[in-house]
Amino acid sequence: MDSRVIKFNETADFILQRIGDRPEVAIVLGSGLGALADKIENPVIIPYSEVPHFVQSTAVGHKGNLIYGTLNGKKVIAMQGRFHYYEGYGMEQVTFPIRVMCSLKIKALFVSNAAGGMNTAFRIGDLMIIRDHINFLPNPLIGKNIDEMGTRFPDMTRPYDLELIKSAEEIAAEHGIKLQKGVYVAGTGPTYETPAEYAYFKSTGADAVGMSTTPEVIVARHCGVRVFGMSVITNEAHDLDSTAADGYKNDHKDVMAAADKAAQTMSFLFAQMIGQL
């Protein structure tokens, strides 16, 4: 057996001992989006520091806990904070929790993030369904394939599950929730992008930009797990002309504030979708 699989199983066994049952859905909560964890009933909270083979989340707004419980009648496990490449972690460390979730036999993965909106129709606080992505981070599948978990060359034609996207749109329409839909592009960070980089990413067909998510999605799809992704638009990703005109700059405190404001709506939507699985 691949030595990496042994570590995944060791961590999965530890979590199972603590929670007593297998979760049906895993959720990754991005910057400022940890509020969904408060809606999980009968929670079992496990700090990352106690989990074998986990690294520590150092990003602002990431509490660093696994939270298991029920959400709208379904057994879920949520990551209250993720690991990033910009923190100095390699792709195996960044995606290790997703491998563990797959070892726990989850049926679906819900990922969220804070992102800059490059689409001029987007406004701060909008929720964007991720319909596709462009990955400028190292591909987490580079290296020896983990044959026990997936094929060497996994298909990425539909990385984000079409049925889950349809479910989100139907629930949003029923409850009068405005949703955007677009392509998410992931860069390394930790610097926010330059206006020229925003213009370049926009020219490639991207609508929003961030520093995470795509490696997790790639690994989940390698394992054959369904994925739903959502970005909270927390800042305007301006081109050079507009930034020169208005003196705009990106500030992480503002990003966090926008994420906090939108977190309740996203939490409601996720809970409704998970209840229908």
Side-chain angles (χ1 to χ4, degrees):
M1 181 182 290
D2 191 306
S3 62
R4 293 168 292 179
V5 176
I6 294 173
K7 286 186 176 181
F8 304 149
N9 290 339
E10 286 175 352
T11 304
D13 288 344
F14 169 84
I15 293 171
L16 275 175
Q17 289 174 5
R18 293 287 295 269
I19 66 179
D21 202 356
R22 292 186 183 274
E24 301 166 86
V25 178
I27 309 167
V28 180
L29 299 170
S31 298
L33 300 173
L36 177 60
D38 297 332
K39 298 185 180 299
I40 296 175
E41 298 176 347
N42 303 313
V44 177
I45 301 173
I46 311 174
Y48 292 166
S49 59
E50 298 179 10
V51 181
H53 309 302
F54 263 43
V55 294
Q56 295 304 301
S57 180
T58 66
V60 176
H62 293 243
K63 290 187 178 180
N65 293 317
L66 282 177
I67 302 179
Y68 170 81
T70 58
L71 184 65
N72 208 1
K74 295 294 171 65
K75 293 173 287 188
V76 303
I77 189 163
M79 288 185 66
Q80 204 173 21
R82 53 158 52 90
F83 309 134
H84 301 81
Y85 185 65
Y86 68 69
E87 295 175 86
Y89 297 130
M91 279 296 119
E92 187 170 321
Q93 294 169 305
V94 168
T95 60
F96 184 88
I98 307 305
R99 292 292 189 188
V100 172
M101 303 305 179
C102 294
S103 298
L104 288 169
K105 309 299 183 185
I106 59 169
K107 297 177 182 177
L109 173 69
F110 282 60
V111 293
S112 66
N113 58 55
M118 295 179 293
N119 188 315
T120 55
F122 291 1
R123 296 293 179 266
I124 292 173
D126 280 357
L127 297 176
M128 184 192 86
I129 295 172
I130 304 175
R131 67 174 181 83
D132 204 347
H133 72 229
I134 301 170
N135 182 45
F136 281 101
L137 285 160
N139 192 303
L141 303 186
I142 291 173
K144 185 177 183 295
N145 187 52
I146 306 175
D147 295 331
E148 294 94 331
M149 304 196 83
T151 181
R152 168 78 282 187
F153 300 106
D155 176 51
M156 290 293 288
T157 306
R158 297 177 185 85
Y160 300 89
D161 190 87
L162 296 180
E163 290 185 4
L164 291 177
I165 290 174
K166 181 180 178 182
S167 172
E169 292 175 324
E170 290 175 347
I171 293 168
E174 180 182 350
H175 293 278
I177 298 171
K178 176 188 174 184
L179 292 181
Q180 305 285 6
K181 187 159 63 173
V183 175
Y184 174 84
V185 59
T188 65
T191 52
Y192 287 104
E193 293 73 21
T194 68
E197 287 169 336
Y198 286 142
Y200 169 70
F201 288 146
K202 188 176 178 181
S203 74
T204 67
D207 297 285
V209 58
M211 307 172 189
S212 67
T213 303
T214 53
E216 299 156 352
V217 173
I218 290 168
V219 164
R221 294 303 304 136
H222 182 246
C223 295
V225 170
R226 301 168 70 194
V227 176
F228 177 79
M230 177 161 280
S231 295
V232 176
I233 305 304
T234 52
N235 57 295
E236 297 176 6
H238 291 272
D239 60 25
L240 186 58
D241 291 338
S242 58
T243 53
D246 63 16
Y248 180 88
K249 68 176 182 179
N250 283 307
D251 182 275
H252 195 67
K253 291 181 180 178
D254 295 336
V255 168
M256 295 291 293
D260 286 341
K261 190 173 181 180
Q264 294 301 324
T265 303
M266 190 200 73
S267 297
F268 172 80
L269 190 63
F270 274 26
Q272 292 299 307
M273 292 177 66
I274 289 169
Q276 293 183 4
L277 289 175

